[in-house]
Structures are given as C-alpha cells and as structure tokens.
Amino acid sequence: MRHKIIDWDDAYANGINIPQGERWPDAWAEPAKTYRDRMVETGRAKLGLTYADKPRNRFDLFLPAGDPIGLVVFVHGGFWIRLDNGYFSHLAHGAVETGYAVAMPSYTLAPENRISEITQEIGKAIEAAAEIVSGPIRLTGHSAGGHLVTRMVSASSPLPEEIRKRIVNVVSISGVHDLRPLIDTQMNKMQQIDIEEAYLESPALLEPLNRTRLTCWVGASERSEFLRQNALLANIWKGLGAETDCVEEPDRHHFNILDGLADPHHPLTEALLT
C-alpha cells in the first residue's frame, strides 16, 4: 500500500494525536520536583552546575548511594525549541539505583541557537559531567535529545577523543535522526533548519564512530514518522559497522515511552545499562 505524507506538521504532532495528550509536559513536573527534592535532602543532588557561559548552560547531577560505577547523561527533547531538564529529574532513578551518576543538561533553545550550536553545547555538557564522574559513559535522550546523543557518536562528534573512548552505549528514545522532513514544518520558523544544516546535523546522514553501540527505542503507538525515524538510524548504522538494535515498545506513545527510565528493572533501563 502506497503512502505519501502531505501534512508534515501533523506527522510530527504528538500531543493532539495522543488521548489526553495535553497532560504533558506538565505531568512530568511534579514527579520530577519530588525526586529532586528527595535527592537534595539526602545530599545526592548537585543542581545547576555550569558547563558554559549562557544562562541555560547548566546541568543537574544525581548521585548513587555509593561511588558511581559510571556516568549516564540524559538529554531532554522538545524539538530543540522548548522544555528544560527540570521536567525529567525523576527519570534518573532507574540508573541511579543501579549505581550510576546521572547528568541532565539543559541547553540554549532555538532560535537563539541553531541546532549545530546546540550540538556543541551538549558536547560541552558531557565533557563537564565526565570531569566529575569517572568510568564508562552511557548516553540517552528523548526526541530531539535522541538526535543530540546520537550526534555525539557521529563521525563529526564535538567530543574530544578521550571522552569518545569512554562512551560504551547510546539509547535514542523516539529520536529524530533525519532533520530534512522538519524543514517543511511550521516549527522550522523557530528551528531555522536549512538543507545544509540538515545534512551536517542528521545522524542518519553521517557515519557512526568506531565501536558504536546503539539502541533505537520507540513506542509502538507513536506517530508513523517516529517509528520510521527510529528504524532508519538503526538500519543505516548497522550497515556502517555499528552494533544496533531497534525496539518498538508495545502500548507506549511519545510521552509515556520515558516512564521505563524511572524503573531500574525496566527493559529500557536495562538496554541502557547493559
């Protein structure tokens, strides 16, 4: 059966296509604050650490009870134009309870930053967190954050070689890996993606670093474009020598797909930490 996308805005619209989708992102705010407050009370949170000079160049670091066995970095989504790390603090729980420190950066949003500049900022955030926490590094991100973490293991990664060598696994959750379709959306008035930047910043159009391990994870109930984008990168990078997996989690949509990260025993957390 042939299919052609005519309405690119609808193809990438999540909230209006999910029952009670208007609940998000506010539905994340309360559990995130509760978790943050609890970690501050126990002395296991370092909030608002700086990694560069702009106001949003900050990250929160959540620590396990003992010495960290490594570092997880979670990068938030929002199509590069909205949200910040404060909505997602509770998602650190799964990795923290398994013994990892978890860094959650914010970044300067478009249109103040181009996506290529956001890529550079996330590289600096990872470097700053890696200076504090030793050991292996595992990256994960949601939607636009999935794009940003896979950019870190693309051939044109902004990370220095010593940090690249420490990255042992990447999980892109509902990631946007080919930016070209977004050029035709209304969001692009803020994102300001042009065709040159799309080619330079799309992981699906770049080669992976050597020894890259990647899982592309998506909700089976998501928009067809997110299913396609998820399978796309896993497929292309497998052909370029990366170790990849592609997962469609049943009964999950673009927002509740993240819930698994809060559970140390959920398959999503296990995929990240294995």
Side-chain angles (χ1 to χ4, degrees), residues 15 44 50 71 112 127 149 168 171 178 198 211 219 230 234-235 260:
R44 292 165 54 192
T50 61
L71 173 68
E112 183 178 347
E127 284 189 66
V149 295
V168 297
V171 177
D178 182 355
R211 302 180 304 278
N230 192 67
N235 189 9

Side-chain angles (χ1 to χ4, degrees), residues 33-274:
K33 183 180 185 302
T34 298
Y35 182 78
R36 234 177 7 256
D37 291 346
R38 184 168 72 248
M39 294 296 279
V40 168
E41 290 175 2
T42 59
R44 292 165 54 192
K46 298 181 179 181
L47 305 182
L49 300 174
T50 61
Y51 66 83
D53 298 331
K54 291 185 176 181
R56 287 176 59 99
N57 294 162
R58 304 288 185 270
F59 68 96
D60 294 340
L61 185 66
F62 301 102
L63 300 168
D67 292 334
I69 60 176
L71 173 68
V72 169
V73 181
F74 172 87
V75 182
H76 74 81
F79 283 113
W80 309 272
I81 60 176
R82 61 180 72 97
L83 303 181
D84 59 48
N85 61 350
Y87 285 93
F88 304 98
S89 306
H90 58 298
L91 302 179
H93 180 75
V96 166
E97 291 304 299
T98 312
Y100 285 83
V102 177
M104 294 189 164
S106 289
Y107 47 87
T108 307
L109 301 173
E112 183 178 347
N113 258 3
R114 295 189 67 90
I115 289 177
S116 56
E117 294 173 309
I118 297 173
T119 296
Q120 296 296 318
E121 286 192 353
I122 292 302
K124 292 177 181 177
I126 293 170
E127 284 189 66
E131 289 181 1
I132 299 172
V133 180
S134 61
I137 299 172
R138 299 172 184 271
L139 306 179
T140 187
H142 176 238
S143 197
H147 160 268
L148 291 165
V149 295
T150 51
R151 277 292 286 116
M152 296 303 111
V153 290
S154 300
S156 55
S157 169
L159 295 173
E161 184 64 23
E162 62 269 21
I163 301 297
R164 296 182 188 187
K165 289 180 178 179
R166 289 174 57 187
I167 297 173
V168 297
N169 197 22
V170 179
V171 177
S172 176
I173 306 168
S174 307
V176 181
H177 306 123
D178 182 355
L179 304 185
R180 292 174 296 179
L182 299 177
I183 293 174
D184 294 320
T185 66
Q186 290 297 310
M187 291 184 296
N188 199 37
K189 292 178 180 178
M190 295 186 68
Q191 295 161 340
Q192 299 184 346
I193 305 166
D194 56 31
I195 194 65
E196 180 180 5
E197 184 168 55
Y199 273 94
L200 292 174
E201 289 296 320
S202 295
L205 304 179
L206 302 170
E207 294 188 5
L209 296 175
N210 290 334
R211 302 180 304 278
T212 290
R213 294 179 65 234
L214 169 70
T215 298
C216 294
W217 192 288
V218 72
S221 299
E222 297 205 40
R223 306 294 288 157
S224 64
E225 267 298 272
F226 285 93
L227 297 173
R228 185 186 68 82
Q229 290 264 6
N230 192 67
L232 178 69
L233 188 63
N235 189 9
I236 291 175
W237 276 15
K238 178 181 179 181
L240 295 174
E243 178 185 337
T244 71
D245 193 9
C246 181
V247 178
E248 295 183 6
E249 185 178 352
D251 303 318
R252 294 288 175 171
H253 56 63
H254 191 74
F255 300 132
N256 65 12
I257 188 66
L258 286 172
D259 293 351
L261 289 179
D263 179 356
H265 305 296
H266 191 278
L268 176 57
T269 301
E270 292 174 351
L272 175 62
L273 302 183
T274 300

